[in-house]
Amino acid sequence: MALSRHGKLRAGINLSNFLLVSSRSSDGGPAGVSPDMAAALAACLDLPLEYVSYENPGKLADAAERDEWDIGLVAAEPQRAALIDFTSAYAEIEATYLLPPGSPLSQVSEVDRKGHRIAAAARTAYGLWLERNVHEAEMIWGNGFDETYSLFIDGKLDALAGLRQKLIEDEARLPGSKLLEGRFMSVQQAIGTPKVSGMAIDYLRAFVETAVEIGLVAELIAKHGVIGLTVASREPDRAA
């Protein structure tokens, strides 16, 4: 099998998603839902597991052509699919907007209007979605969550895009701000493999479908006490 050609399973892990990598193991390695999904797959394949960590999803995706990992636990996005074959999602995360104090906006649909400026972290799954789907507002891109928040505050922008659970924290530190109900999309967390891996994707797709069906994903979310991450619906996300 293509996944075992190195004698081990090399799993690309995105460290920036705190819902999927929620802590560190005793040896300093990544711990959380996505590392545990990789471990479950390695056990099924009877292969030793090696985590290959990246500071953000963009760098993980960029490494697809460099044979640095066999599977990548990262959100499935059309831009990334040029180099990576993806399974269906095993988990999803709601993305929405935080509004500054005094904002007259009240619905997600009102944000994409001429004259509005939206801050978002570049090369995130929701950022890639916004690139494709925001047509009227101006996008202001930050490098990472902290820089993006600073752009939102210092630039007096109209909205901060992000994962709902992260924006709840931002709302708490910005008195008078407002977190919008609903979502502009749902980030679909999946397992990918470089296209050069060929038929490995068929095995991975079956693994993910089984992991969802037998309740493994739900067990891992509960094990790590993650709030804001849910088992992926088998229905496609219409907003994404």
Side-chain angles (χ1 to χ4, degrees), residues 120-155:
R123 305 197 68 189
T124 55
Y126 60 84
L128 294 174
W129 187 92
L130 291 167
E131 280 187 30
R132 300 193 306 274
N133 291 279
V134 167
H135 303 296
E136 302 291 338
E138 178 185 0
M139 293 302 307
I140 307 296
W141 300 106
N143 182 22
F145 301 124
D146 292 339
E147 179 180 302
T148 304
Y149 180 81
S150 295
L151 289 172
F152 171 63
I153 297 298
D154 298 340

Side-chain angles (χ1 to χ4, degrees), residues 97 108-114 116 118 133-137:
Y97 298 112
V108 167
S109 60
E110 296 173 342
V111 176
D112 184 17
R113 297 287 187 270
K114 287 184 178 179
H116 291 169
I118 305 169
N133 291 279
V134 167
H135 303 296
E136 302 291 338

Side-chain angles (χ1 to χ4, degrees), residues 38-182:
L41 175 60
C44 288
L45 294 169
D46 195 25
L47 287 173
L49 175 65
E50 176 187 333
Y51 293 125
V52 184
S53 297
Y54 297 88
E55 63 180 308
N56 60 58
K59 290 186 176 181
L60 189 159
D62 287 344
E65 290 186 298
R66 299 197 297 267
D67 193 29
E68 293 181 7
W69 47 265
D70 303 306
I71 62 166
L73 291 99
V74 66
E77 274 294 315
Q79 289 95 323
R80 296 171 184 165
L83 298 175
I84 302 169
D85 285 327
F86 287 103
T87 67
S88 59
Y90 64 87
E92 56 189 15
I93 309 169
E94 193 173 77
T96 187
Y97 298 112
L98 180 69
L99 306 179
S103 174
L105 305 181
S106 60
Q107 298 181 33
V108 167
S109 60
E110 296 173 342
V111 176
D112 184 17
R113 297 287 187 270
K114 287 184 178 179
H116 291 169
R117 296 179 298 163
I118 305 169
R123 305 197 68 189
T124 55
Y126 60 84
L128 294 174
W129 187 92
L130 291 167
E131 280 187 30
R132 300 193 306 274
N133 291 279
V134 167
H135 303 296
E136 302 291 338
E138 178 185 0
M139 293 302 307
I140 307 296
W141 300 106
N143 182 22
F145 301 124
D146 292 339
E147 179 180 302
T148 304
Y149 180 81
S150 295
L151 289 172
F152 171 63
I153 297 298
D154 298 340
K156 301 184 185 304
L157 305 187
D158 299 282
L160 172 63
L163 303 179
R164 177 172 293 280
Q165 196 60 28
K166 179 66 172 66
L167 293 181
I168 289 173
E169 298 176 5
D170 294 333
E171 181 184 30
R173 62 173 171 161
L174 182 60
S177 61
K178 177 172 57 178
L179 187 61
L180 288 181
E181 295 297 325

